[in-house]
Amino acid sequence: GKVGIVLLVIIVGCTKVDPANLSPVFPHGVGPVLSMSAICSFSFIGFGTITNAAEECIDPHRDLPIAITVSLLICALLYIAFSIVLVGIIPYYEIQQAAPAEDAFGPHYANIPWALMMVNWGAVIGLFTTLITGLYSQARIYLAMARDDLFFHLFEHVSPTFGTPIYAQWLCSLIAALLACVQVEELSNFLSIGVLLSYTVVCAGVLVLRTDQSETAAWWSAVVTLAAV
């Protein structure tokens, strides 16, 4: 449903794009693009949720790589297309940070009321699915950590009725409720950098695990991680 709304908005928005708004490509240089890329890394956290579902896959060795690759490609293409349409409708210097998509289809620009309604519905659905995805994946991370003696063993308990780590799920829900009291802008910046750092550490660890020269790989992994930090 959410992907369908995004596709519909992209297709309809293409009819209102002004090519003059797409130039210049880097009005303030490459620096702001790189800094925003670090913040936007949180947008691609969905493929991490796929890996956390490995235990529930029929053939994880085959299914997980395909699912990760396909999901990354789909998300990247949708983000790129939506960004191009948005900038094509609204000049980049007039984009409002609070609700840019809503402004694009509002009366001042594209003026498509039904598309504006779809954007608002898509935002609500997106918040709901993001919350569910986060609770689903984080609970399974706590489960794996508890099994490896890295967390309290209470959280490795799996409900015989639902087949889910119920105590880990309650912990994630409590943490999410507490974080809801933090301002969204501060929380998004913190989470984005945290996610980017954690991915860097994981990739560095994979280099150590997948090589026969573990000492050399560990040294290079430490250098790469520190450089990313």
Side-chain angles (χ1 to χ4, degrees):
K2 183 173 68 174
V3 175
I5 293 176
V6 173
L7 287 174
L8 181 62
V9 169
I10 291 173
I11 294 172
V12 174
C14 287
T15 62
K16 300 293 184 177
V17 168
D18 183 3
N21 292 336
L22 301 177
S23 181
V25 179
F26 299 108
H28 299 292
V30 182
V33 177
L34 296 179
S35 62
M36 285 305 300
S37 297
I39 296 177
C40 293
S41 62
F42 183 70
S43 302
F44 292 89
I45 197 174
F47 81 88
T49 303
I50 297 175
T51 60
N52 294 329
E55 195 171 311
E56 295 157 84
C57 292
I58 298 176
D59 186 5
H61 291 285
R62 181 186 68 89
D63 298 340
L64 283 182
I66 296 175
I68 291 172
T69 303
V70 172
S71 64
L72 279 176
L73 288 175
I74 292 175
C75 290
L77 291 175
L78 288 177
Y79 282 132
I80 292 171
F82 192 88
S83 299
I84 292 175
V85 169
L86 179 64
V87 177
I89 296 175
I90 307 178
Y92 72 91
Y93 48 84
E94 296 182 8
I95 293 178
Q96 300 294 324
Q97 186 177 3
E102 184 177 359
D103 289 341
F105 293 94
H108 298 293
Y109 295 99
N111 193 21
I112 308 178
W114 65 268
L116 176 61
M117 182 182 65
M118 296 296 290
V119 167
N120 292 329
W121 272 107
V124 174
I125 296 173
L127 289 174
F128 178 75
T129 55
T130 301
L131 176 62
I132 296 300
T133 300
L135 295 176
Y136 173 87
S137 60
Q138 190 61 43
R140 280 148 184 81
I141 292 176
Y142 290 150
L143 169 66
M145 292 174 63
R147 287 176 176 174
D148 293 337
D149 296 326
L150 299 174
F151 203 44
F152 300 107
H153 287 282
L154 171 68
F155 299 106
E156 67 176 321
H157 173 73
V158 176
S159 171
T161 304
F162 302 104
T164 58
I166 186 168
Y167 294 127
Q169 202 74 67
W170 277 110
L171 177 63
C172 293
S173 301
L174 177 61
I175 294 174
L178 294 176
L179 290 177
C181 301
V182 183
Q183 291 186 2
V184 175
E185 184 177 356
E186 297 177 359
L187 188 61
S188 62
N189 291 334
F190 175 76
L191 290 178
S192 297
I193 299 301
V195 169
L196 184 62
L197 177 60
S198 65
Y199 286 170
T200 304
V201 174
V202 170
C203 292
V206 171
L207 294 177
V208 180
L209 295 174
R210 293 295 183 92
T211 182
D212 295 332
Q213 300 177 346
S214 57
E215 293 183 0
T216 303
W219 186 84
W220 277 106
S221 298
V223 172
V224 172
T225 303
L226 290 175
V229 173

